[in-house]
Amino acid sequence: MYKDLNEAQKMAVEHRGNLLIIAGPGTGKTHTLTHKIAHTLLRNKNFHCSDSDSNILRPSSGTSEKYHFENETQSKSVFLKIPSAISHSDISNTRIFEPSILALTFTKKASDEMKQRLISLLADCQHTNKRYSDCRNTDERYAHAQHADVQIIDVQNTDVQHAYDRHTDVYNLSIDHQIFIGTFHSWCLEMLKKFSRDFVLYGEKEKMIVLQKIASSTFPNWTKTHINDVARLISLHKNQLLPIEKIAEKIPLPDFLKTTEYITIAHLYEKKMSAFRALDFDDLLVKTLELFTHPSPEIDAYRKNMRYVFIDEYQDVNTVQYELIRLLMHSNVAKTTVTDEVAISNKSFSTDTFQSTSKTICAIGDPDQSIYAFRGSNIDYFFRFSEDFPHATTLRLEENYRSSSFIIKASESLIAYNSKRIHRSLRPQFEDSTLVSVISANDGWKEAYGVTKKIQKLVGGLDMIESGHAHYHVPSETFRFSDIAVLYRTKAQGRLIEASIKKAGIPCQMVPESAWYLKKEIQTLLHYLRLLVYPHDDSSLSKILQTASARQKKNTSLFLTQIQALMDEMIHFTPTECAQKIWNDFGFESYYCRKKNGGNVHAKIRAKTLNNEKIVSDEKIQNNFLLFLSTSAQFDSMKGKEGLLKLLEHYTFLQNEDTFDSSVEAVHLMTLHASKGLEFPVVFITGLEDGLLPYSTKSENSARFSKKDDFIKNQLEEERRLFYVGITRAKRKLYLLHALVRDEKETTPSPFLKEIREELLERKTLRKPLKNIVSSQNFHTSKWNDHDQSCSDQKTKKDQLELFS
Amino acid sequence: MIFTADFHIHSHYSRATSKFMDANNLYKWGQLKGIRIIGTGDFTHPKWFSELREKLEPAESGLFRLKKAYAKEIEHEIPESCRSDFRFMLTVEISNIYSKNGRVRKVHNVICAPSFEIASKINSELSKIGNLQADGRPILGLDSKRLFQITLDASTDCMFIPAHIWTPYFAVFGSKSGFDSLEECFEDLTPFITALETGLSSDPPMNRTLSALDDFTLVSNSDAHSPQKLGREVNRFDTELSYFSIRDAVKNGDPKHFLETVEFFPEEGKYHYDGHSTCEVRFSPEETKKHNGLCPKCGHPLTIGVLNRVASLADRSEPGKKSIPYRYLIPLPEILSDIYSKGVSSKYVNGLYFSMLEKLGNEFSILLDIPLETIEKASSSYVARAIQKVREGKVRIAPGYDGEFGTIEVFTEKEKSDLQTQKTLFSFF
Ligand SMILES: [Zn+2]
Ligand SMILES: [Zn+2]
């Protein structure tokens, strides 16, 4: 088991007592943390047997069960149980055994990965004799623990190692400890379900509905964007544990919102929510914290039982999470200073009959990757870890197993400009002299086109013309689509890149992405069709009326007559004919595609960068409708209601499916924020321009660099960390792009680019004039060529292809 | 009924295709060429799908005809002598680019469907996975086997044909990013493959040196991106005119119903030999071996051609016995271009070509069936001699390599000058 750990990682795993691990990018953070959890689990088996009389297992349907998910929809939590440790009569007992180990993460993805890895790690220890003996040599306790009673039940009774390699989740892992692994939110949900009164959980959607309702009566002029801003602020003040009245002191409000207005709406929101007995996601944390500030005997018992707390991504904790951890740990050493507004009952400490030393916390993270200040994360908690938790040790993981040396050096030289950090330096394990490319493009479109061409090249060409060309086929290694990620600061940038990549036919996955059939125009069309089948479906009618044109709204009765007429006729029509009729007769064209565009889309895009999105989206809507027809024609053997019913059933089913199919390979497009925690062999970071990265809104001036203002300095450092996160996603190749003109305005390159040591960079410009680029984009329509084409055209193509070599 | 069919072509919605690859022109050129059934190609493209639904109507089961109204628009461009009852079949080619067993794989696969409903089912599945709107031949990050599964799920009546299986870059056996066996690619679905497409650079005898392919029928299609290239390679059947009879003939590979495939001379294909085009190095597999696979001029690795690749996977030196008959042809415009030393798309060649079609009938009948005397009467003895030589396979070809087409020579320079002195050369006009 120790075989896979380096010295620093091993030290971290074996350390006893409170521990802060500073784990830079690619240093094996999750690897180390899961090993430490496994180590803790195994080492402390006997310790726990002593008070097991009061601890009875949660009922289980038997050993063939997989993980026991507490709640299907909230499957973030998992309890690992030990059927072997109890008799069958115990199973009927419903008393709950509380976890003594808690491992908290920030995302479901992270906690799922941790569970997965933990299970496979324990399976390894148990089953591969070779590794098993390694363990024994390294640590006698392991052997003992293993012989004792950790067992993994092989459900399918197949060859363990083999099956394990494929699917670890066929095993029911049983350990005679209980551990809770999950996100902060899932843990809090568990806590509230156990220890609090009934409540309804409101998701983001429901939260927005409540706010919309309130706004419609108090601030009728607000748009959805305004309400989004308010929703964000409410979340922010809750996570920072600020009373509503104090918000303006801490958080700058958007221009449209006066402090008093915010206070009004926030109070109304709270009133509504408590009237519904509803909690939003942020409330989960706040209410759980209240459980700990006024502890009941059950909470005290829960806290007493807790032995080990592991926190992933500690640099991302916000105030409420920090307080939760502190109270759970019972740390009576630390005094709250950051949030003196919060009245935390100190009485709870005095009733403590438990020595705080019997609890251990291990936090892991990297302050250089803290990028969620806008959500309320506070990096300061990381820096004060050793003050908060007694006798805490700090360890650093510095060996980077991810990126090639030049990428690491580039990231190091950049992040050195930040002042708020704990010093550490990364040591790359892969020596490679591939330089980091800095590419400047004329404008945003050309930048996107440059990325597209480069991707085509990285995968070794997409058609005969590219691949078959001796000049073109330079790359000595080819990558998969899914090896490549394009990162950007704002979602709007992503759309232009997506348009370009999709135009080239390259499979890509924008995160998050909504499937084409979830697009508004298709959904509305489906509402119409539903109304034809179910004339009394008021919800469909109201959805339709929302999108109806002003003319239609004015004359609702005419509109309804029109629908009625179609209902009468529809027996003669196939489903796609119905759809076509609705599309034509009910003004979809004019509603969704305000500007009809004939002619050359690319030329238009070039001509008016500002109008890019409109033109691109108009075409998309048309195309989506055609796609709807081409995928719905399968029901055309039935006319009238029968066919429509089948069609509607099909789409209802589709909408409930998980759209993301991870086995399909595609280029990843995402914001820098979304890239955190991921890694890719090839990374493009686009839009490296002052104002985009570092990002600044219009109201902020560009003289940020000379500013002494702390707030602005913090923001700048946060943006630098964001760039740092982006760079350190790359394993092999890194391309940094910027456009000289964006949205018809000249730009200056990001000041961050100057902070990377010049000798690590290779600077390029996309050198051909724009004219050629556009014509080459269109060459498949203007010129043609055969699969096995004649050679006459190859020369021009060669030029085009080499543009971006 | 004896007829020819070309399943694999591309519409004008695919990249690098002629804008004339639309329903009307397929109708026209199919008749000029003498192809009875042409695949539509690209049925996953929503715009093409809607154009097809608009313009086609069901004919014999599983086949489609151009509606009268549209046929009228183009009828006058088709010489009386060539007119025939033309049919469409719904087909598409998918470019699967994905990784399997640790390597990037690029495999093209052709799917044929008997109805718009079934095509639509496939579209529906694929639209969830990838982008069907950008390219008539969509690029999907999807495993070939899963594509096959999706096809079978839509309907077991579909035909699934791995395309141009030996092309170095985009084929199941491609040297650059293919597999060494069908099983590695399609696993347990392998036996359900309808047929394998030989592609322009390989011919049936080459394929038959692999005993692993003994159980599969070989088909030949043009993969045309412009109307002129339709039917470069085709399949000749003698069955009832219906999708299902054709499918059965292909599946069973019975020479009674699947008469023959008409082939390009494989040497003419772009990847027959090995080589490096930049340095104009053209090697036979033996020469490549001698040079350790490297270009002697620049040291760049040579692009391994189909001949070499086939040899490396073959397990016998002589082709196995079981096979559908085949023959080699050179498209008529290319023959004319060669013997008169004028460009294939020159006015001169074009004029000759159309005048021959008008007098004699469609291109395939000229190349395959019409007696040489008749051809001579309608053109010249020079042309008739050339067609004779092509029918007999007596042409000289410099093999294609590394993306460069092979070059054909119907007559040697000496033959040309001999014929010229006989003054038969320009007696045509
Ligand atoms: Zn192909
Ligand atoms: Zn060379």
Side-chain angles (χ1 to χ4, degrees):
Chain A
M1 179 166 159
Y2 281 163
K3 215 169 59 176
D4 304 331
L5 298 173
N6 66 30
E7 277 310 304
Q9 290 170 336
K10 198 173 151 192
M11 214 146 95
V13 168
E14 288 185 325
H15 182 84
R16 285 167 183 256
N18 295 336
L19 176 66
L20 178 69
I21 307 170
I22 301 171
T27 54
K29 176 172 71 74
T30 312
H31 186 70
T32 308
L33 189 57
T34 33
H35 271 80
K36 190 164 172 66
I37 295 171
H39 182 90
T40 310
L41 271 169
L42 297 173
R43 187 177 58 197
N44 292 282
K45 295 185 72 54
N46 297 330
F47 168 6
H48 235 282
C49 290
S50 57
D51 48 2
S52 63
D53 52 345
S54 62
N55 304 324
I56 296 159
L57 284 164
R58 182 174 294 272
S60 154
S61 59
T63 51
S64 66
E65 196 187 36
K66 291 184 188 175
Y67 306 113
H68 180 80
F69 289 118
E70 279 309 289
N71 175 327
E72 291 231 330
T73 53
Q74 290 287 331
S75 60
K76 289 164 186 158
S77 54
V78 60
F79 285 90
L80 306 173
K81 304 177 300 297
I82 6 114
S84 64
I86 47 160
S87 66
H88 280 286
S89 58
D90 291 328
I91 291 173
S92 60
N93 196 317
T94 51
R95 271 197 61 192
I96 293 165
F97 174 62
E98 302 304 348
S100 58
I101 300 180
L102 182 64
L104 296 178
T105 67
F106 280 81
T107 63
K108 181 174 183 307
K109 222 184 123 222
S111 64
D112 285 349
E113 191 187 348
M114 196 186 285
K115 285 172 212 164
Q116 191 88 358
R117 286 209 200 179
L118 187 60
I119 287 168
S120 64
L121 193 58
L122 292 167
D124 261 5
C125 272
Q126 189 68 18
H127 281 274
T128 33
N129 283 333
K130 193 160 172 242
R131 293 201 178 195
Y132 170 72
S133 58
D134 284 349
C135 293
R136 190 162 47 188
N137 293 342
T138 318
D139 190 339
E140 286 296 328
R141 281 188 310 265
Y142 268 82
H144 175 69
Q146 280 162 18
H147 285 304
D149 43 11
V150 175
Q151 57 169 284
I152 291 140
I153 295 142
D154 175 2
V155 177
Q156 296 189 334
N157 207 17
T158 51
D159 171 53
V160 173
Q161 192 58 39
H162 179 65
Y164 149 68
D165 282 343
R166 285 162 48 219
H167 290 292
T168 47
D169 59 1
V170 299
Y171 296 105
N172 183 4
L173 180 65
S174 19
I175 304 160
D176 83 342
H177 288 256
Q178 286 212 351
I179 173 167
F180 182 98
I181 303 176
T183 61
F184 271 98
H185 287 96
S186 69
W187 174 62
C188 288
L189 183 63
E190 284 302 316
M191 293 298 288
L192 292 173
K193 282 201 301 201
K194 259 183 243 168
F195 301 112
S196 186
R197 60 187 173 82
D198 285 346
F199 60 91
V200 198
L201 181 62
Y202 274 17
E204 284 307 298
K205 239 188 197 155
E206 287 89 354
K207 179 180 177 182
M208 283 301 284
I209 291 170
V210 172
L211 280 171
Q212 258 158 0
K213 277 238 168 76
I214 297 169
S216 67
S217 54
T218 30
F219 305 100
N221 297 333
W222 282 7
T223 63
K224 211 174 162 190
T225 329
H226 293 131
I227 296 168
N228 266 328
D229 276 347
V230 172
R232 188 178 55 84
L233 285 168
I234 289 176
S235 172
L236 210 52
H237 85 234
K238 285 186 180 174
N239 279 312
Q240 302 202 13
L241 292 173
L242 295 172
I244 291 170
E245 283 74 14
K246 301 244 178 168
I247 183 96
E249 295 167 22
K250 289 277 174 184
I251 304 162
L253 296 183
D255 294 341
F256 74 94
L257 193 66
K258 289 200 197 79
T259 312
T260 51
E261 288 172 343
Y262 177 74
I263 291 170
T264 311
I265 192 163
H267 276 304
L268 284 171
Y269 174 74
E270 291 309 321
K271 238 169 97 183
K272 267 257 156 61
M273 291 292 279
S274 58
F276 296 148
R277 299 173 73 86
L279 301 183
D280 63 24
F281 266 72
D282 306 307
D283 289 332
L284 291 177
L285 303 183
V286 176
K287 298 292 170 192
T288 307
L289 184 62
E290 281 172 13
L291 289 179
F292 283 103
T293 48
H294 307 285
S296 60
E298 289 84 10
I299 284 286
D300 270 335
Y302 180 94
R303 183 156 52 185
K304 185 179 165 196
N305 190 58
M306 188 62 65
R307 297 293 201 284
Y308 300 96
V309 176
F310 297 89
I311 314 284
D312 192 16
E313 306 279 13
Y314 197 68
Q315 77 282 355
D316 287 337
V317 293
N318 59 33
T319 307
V320 63
Q321 286 158 339
Y322 168 77
E323 291 298 342
L324 268 170
I325 296 163
R326 232 173 43 88
L327 288 184
L328 181 66
M329 289 302 295
H330 248 193
S331 160
N332 42 15
V333 177
K335 267 200 343 238
T336 319
T337 53
V338 183
T339 56
D340 41 9
E341 296 94 339
V342 192
I344 290 172
S345 162
N346 270 313
K347 262 187 277 170
S348 62
F349 297 125
S350 57
T351 58
D352 188 14
T353 52
F354 204 79
Q355 305 106 309
S356 57
T357 47
S358 68
K359 279 192 198 331
T360 308
I361 182 169
C362 168
I364 194 165
D366 179 12
D368 288 343
Q369 294 182 71
S370 162
I371 54 173
Y372 289 122
F374 71 98
R375 272 195 216 157
S377 298
N378 193 337
I379 193 175
D380 292 332
Y381 298 130
F382 196 100
F383 297 129
R384 46 177 291 170
F385 183 87
S386 37
E387 296 162 42
D388 288 339
F389 303 102
H391 316 296
T393 305
T394 301
L395 289 173
R396 289 169 171 77
L397 305 183
E398 298 182 314
E399 266 138 301
N400 177 295
Y401 297 96
R402 178 186 295 155
S403 313
S404 68
S405 47
F406 277 53
I407 293 169
I408 292 299
K409 284 176 194 157
S411 74
E412 291 280 285
S413 65
L414 172 81
I415 200 65
Y417 282 82
N418 268 12
S419 60
K420 233 181 178 176
R421 60 191 299 252
I422 298 173
H423 181 76
R424 60 147 170 74
S425 58
L426 288 182
R427 291 186 295 275
Q429 302 300 301
F430 298 122
E431 281 301 328
D432 182 8
S433 53
T434 309
L435 294 166
V436 173
S437 297
V438 176
I439 300 169
S440 62
N442 283 357
D443 58 25
W445 174 251
K446 196 166 168 192
E447 176 190 71
Y449 185 65
V451 170
T452 307
K453 278 288 149 190
K454 198 85 209 173
I455 292 172
Q456 287 181 356
K457 196 157 182 164
L458 287 164
V459 300
L462 296 179
D463 57 35
M464 301 281 185
I465 301 163
E466 292 165 1
S467 302
H469 205 280
H471 281 280
Y472 187 77
H473 203 71
V474 184
S476 51
E477 60 175 328
T478 51
F479 294 90
R480 306 179 295 171
F481 290 126
S482 48
D483 287 339
I484 300 167
V486 186
L487 312 179
Y488 35 80
R489 180 64 178 85
T490 67
K491 288 192 182 105
Q493 289 169 265
R495 270 175 231 131
L496 194 60
I497 292 165
E498 186 197 19
S500 170
I501 290 182
K502 281 204 167 159
K503 199 94 205 163
I506 297 170
C508 67
Q509 179 95 41
M510 200 155 176
V511 187
E513 180 173 53
S514 73
W516 65 271
Y517 46 81
L518 295 177
K519 295 276 149 58
K520 225 196 257 157
E521 64 275 11
I522 301 300
Q523 286 294 308
T524 309
L525 185 61
L526 286 167
H527 283 305
Y528 272 92
L529 294 172
R530 197 163 288 126
L531 194 62
L532 290 183
V533 182
Y534 307 106
H536 302 295
D537 184 354
D538 288 342
S539 75
S540 283
L541 182 61
S542 69
K543 288 272 164 49
I544 289 169
L545 288 172
Q546 272 173 24
T547 61
S549 66
R551 184 178 51 81
Q552 286 165 331
K553 269 181 188 150
K554 227 184 266 168
N555 199 340
T556 329
S557 66
L558 176 74
F559 178 66
L560 291 174
T561 331
Q562 249 179 310
I563 290 181
Q564 186 58 51
L566 188 58
M567 271 182 217
D568 298 339
E569 292 179 314
M570 88 183 174
I571 185 116
H572 307 296
F573 296 138
T574 64
T576 57
E577 280 165 348
C578 287
Q580 183 75 58
K581 260 192 115 45
I582 288 165
W583 189 266
N584 296 342
D585 297 355
F586 291 91
F588 272 69
E589 200 98 342
S590 52
Y591 185 83
Y592 286 111
C593 316
R594 267 169 225 101
K595 273 183 220 129
K596 280 229 173 179
N597 58 95
N600 185 332
V601 177
H602 301 294
K604 285 199 174 174
I605 283 175
R606 187 168 49 93
K608 270 232 168 296
T609 326
L610 279 179
N611 265 334
N612 272 354
E613 270 176 43
K614 182 63 198 141
I615 292 169
V616 168
S617 83
D618 271 8
E619 214 194 38
K620 260 191 198 160
I621 286 161
Q622 294 276 10
N623 285 338
N624 280 342
F625 177 61
L626 288 175
L627 192 59
F628 177 84
L629 293 181
S630 83
T631 60
S632 305
Q634 54 182 311
F635 309 108
D636 275 2
S637 52
M638 291 163 282
K639 286 190 176 175
K641 203 170 170 177
E642 202 191 345
L644 280 179
L645 275 172
K646 281 267 177 231
L647 180 145
L648 290 171
E649 197 183 289
H650 172 76
Y651 282 97
T652 313
F653 183 68
L654 261 188
Q655 283 157 25
N656 291 329
E657 264 178 51
D658 196 359
T659 53
F660 182 72
D661 185 341
S662 57
S663 74
V664 174
E665 296 176 14
V667 171
H668 305 267
L669 304 183
M670 65 187 83
T671 61
L672 285 160
H673 281 104
S675 75
K676 176 121 180 274
L678 304 174
E679 57 176 36
F680 304 94
V682 181
V683 168
F684 293 86
I685 304 177
T686 63
L688 286 166
E689 294 135 36
D690 197 9
L692 267 180
L693 193 72
Y695 186 76
S696 58
T697 51
K698 279 161 208 145
S699 52
E700 295 163 14
N701 59 49
S702 54
R704 272 170 284 106
F705 272 67
S706 56
K707 269 285 169 82
K708 50 263 147 190
D709 186 345
D710 250 12
F711 178 73
I712 282 169
K713 187 178 159 240
N714 281 344
Q715 252 189 350
L716 185 70
E717 296 209 349
E718 173 106 349
E719 292 287 315
R720 192 179 280 113
R721 285 193 293 267
L722 191 56
F723 187 29
Y724 176 78
V725 165
I727 290 174
T728 52
R729 297 311 93 197
K731 291 163 91 167
R732 311 283 307 283
K733 285 173 188 282
L734 176 65
Y735 300 93
L736 307 174
L737 290 96
H738 67 96
L740 300 173
V741 173
R742 192 175 294 275
D743 296 341
E744 297 184 328
K745 281 186 210 80
E746 280 191 27
T747 69
T748 42
S750 167
F752 294 155
L753 281 174
K754 282 189 217 140
E755 297 172 357
I756 300 174
R757 290 212 319 267
E758 193 61 37
E759 69 265 27
L760 302 170
L761 303 178
E762 172 186 37
R763 290 185 186 267
K764 292 178 181 173
T765 37
L766 300 180
R767 54 178 191 275
K768 291 265 163 122
L770 198 58
K771 210 169 51 189
N772 291 5
I773 306 294
V774 171
S775 74
S776 72
Q777 258 289 297
N778 283 336
F779 80 83
H780 69 280
T781 51
S782 56
K783 283 180 198 160
W784 55 269
N785 220 311
D786 254 81
H787 214 137
D788 271 348
Q789 89 278 26
S790 58
C791 299
S792 59
D793 264 358
Q794 280 205 342
K795 199 159 168 72
T796 47
K797 223 139 284 145
K798 191 193 295 176
D799 293 345
Q800 287 153 4
L801 295 171
E802 277 187 310
L803 269 180
F804 300 99
S805 59
Chain B
M1 181 197 294
I2 295 178
F3 59 90
T4 56
D6 180 357
F7 305 122
H8 179 184
I9 67 125
H10 290 280
S11 79
H12 61 111
Y13 292 106
S14 279
R15 265 142 223 272
T17 53
S18 154
K19 65 172 191 273
F20 293 110
M21 291 299 269
D22 57 17
N24 288 11
N25 277 290
L26 288 174
Y27 174 81
K28 168 186 161 183
W29 281 90
Q31 295 179 52
L32 297 184
K33 293 274 176 187
I35 309 163
R36 192 61 187 276
I37 299 169
I38 291 185
T40 58
D42 301 2
F43 75 58
T44 51
H45 196 279
K47 285 182 181 165
W48 183 233
F49 189 88
S50 105
E51 185 178 334
L52 292 172
R53 287 233 298 164
E54 164 69 27
K55 293 186 170 179
L56 307 189
E57 60 187 18
E60 298 80 10
S61 99
L63 300 176
F64 298 85
R65 70 164 76 84
L66 190 65
K67 284 181 185 162
K68 270 243 161 62
Y70 297 102
K72 258 191 197 146
E73 292 172 4
I74 195 122
E75 206 83 64
H76 64 275
E77 294 181 26
I78 307 166
E80 218 48 88
S81 58
C82 296
R83 290 189 196 173
S84 69
D85 219 4
F86 177 79
R87 295 291 179 261
F88 289 95
M89 182 189 285
L90 298 174
T91 66
V92 68
E93 182 191 31
I94 309 285
S95 176
N96 296 79
I97 302 186
Y98 60 105
S99 56
K100 185 168 184 179
N101 302 337
R103 281 182 52 197
V104 177
R105 315 289 177 161
K106 300 178 182 172
V107 180
H108 286 187
N109 295 294
V110 171
I111 300 167
C112 309
S115 71
F116 279 107
E117 281 78 13
I118 290 167
S120 167
K121 270 191 199 170
I122 295 171
N123 291 350
S124 174
E125 276 308 304
L126 298 184
S127 78
K128 289 190 259 171
I129 293 166
N131 176 10
L132 302 180
Q133 301 167 336
D135 195 339
R137 180 189 61 210
I139 299 166
L140 300 176
L142 176 72
D143 191 297
S144 290
K145 188 197 167 188
R146 265 199 63 206
L147 176 70
F148 196 0
Q149 189 61 60
I150 286 169
T151 308
L152 290 171
D153 288 347
S155 167
T156 48
D157 288 333
C158 290
M159 291 197 259
F160 189 91
I161 305 172
H164 41 72
I165 55 174
W166 295 104
T167 311
Y169 298 96
F170 296 96
V172 65
F173 289 134
S175 58
K176 296 275 180 184
S177 37
F179 297 88
D180 287 347
S181 74
L182 290 171
E183 285 75 12
E184 193 185 354
C185 179
F186 295 106
E187 299 174 9
D188 50 321
L189 295 183
T190 308
F192 304 102
I193 290 170
T194 320
L196 303 170
E197 186 187 80
T198 56
L200 300 185
S201 297
S202 86
D203 61 5
M206 287 165 68
N207 282 277
R208 290 301 174 205
T209 57
L210 275 78
S211 64
L213 305 189
D214 281 350
D215 291 336
F216 299 94
T217 312
L218 300 174
V219 293
S220 293
N221 299 306
S222 69
D223 199 354
H225 287 208
S226 65
Q228 290 80 357
K229 307 265 166 121
L230 288 166
R232 292 192 275 206
E233 295 203 334
V234 290
N235 311 286
R236 303 244 289 171
F237 295 98
D238 184 5
T239 68
E240 187 192 321
L241 196 66
S242 88
Y243 175 91
F244 299 95
S245 317
I246 295 169
R247 185 205 54 189
D248 292 343
V250 171
K251 220 173 189 173
N252 302 331
D254 174 5
K256 231 191 274 165
H257 298 297
F258 190 167
L259 298 180
E260 60 177 351
T261 58
V262 175
E263 305 280 329
F264 230 48
F265 285 97
E267 297 83 355
E268 226 187 323
K270 288 199 298 185
Y271 293 104
H272 188 69
Y273 259 35
D274 309 333
H276 189 208
S277 67
T278 328
C279 302
E280 296 183 14
V281 167
R282 176 196 330 236
F283 277 173
S284 69
E286 295 74 44
E287 290 171 295
T288 303
K289 215 173 190 179
K290 242 184 270 165
H291 290 90
N292 297 320
L294 298 177
C295 171
K297 292 197 186 163
C298 73
H300 189 280
L302 295 166
T303 300
I304 298 305
V306 170
L307 195 61
N308 193 335
R309 176 69 177 156
V310 172
S312 72
L313 294 184
D315 55 353
R316 54 194 175 207
S317 51
E318 289 303 313
K321 272 176 199 150
K322 189 203 147 195
S323 186
I324 302 265
Y326 58 92
R327 67 165 105 187
Y328 301 109
L329 275 190
I330 295 171
L332 186 54
E334 283 182 37
I335 298 176
L336 298 175
S337 153
D338 179 57
I339 61 181
Y340 292 108
S341 306
K342 300 263 182 333
V344 174
S345 46
S346 65
K347 257 196 183 152
Y348 187 77
V349 167
N350 223 25
L352 283 182
Y353 179 70
F354 276 96
S355 119
M356 284 179 74
L357 292 193
E358 261 166 47
K359 291 181 200 160
L360 293 166
N362 68 55
E363 183 179 335
F364 267 116
S365 62
I366 295 173
L367 292 174
L368 297 174
D369 305 323
I370 295 174
L372 292 168
E373 309 86 74
T374 322
I375 294 175
E376 186 170 344
K377 263 177 232 157
S379 55
S380 68
S381 62
Y382 193 48
V383 172
R385 276 285 298 284
I387 289 175
Q388 186 189 5
K389 288 197 81 171
V390 171
R391 284 186 187 174
E392 290 166 359
K394 291 179 181 158
V395 293
R396 290 158 51 109
I397 300 170
Y401 68 102
D402 195 18
E404 304 287 347
F405 268 117
T407 47
I408 49 163
E409 208 178 61
V410 179
F411 296 123
T412 60
E413 284 308 315
K414 184 170 175 304
E415 281 174 309
K416 268 189 196 175
S417 61
D418 288 353
L419 286 164
Q420 248 164 3
T421 53
Q422 288 165 29
K423 292 203 176 175
T424 48
L425 181 53
F426 296 107
S427 66
F428 188 4
F429 275 139

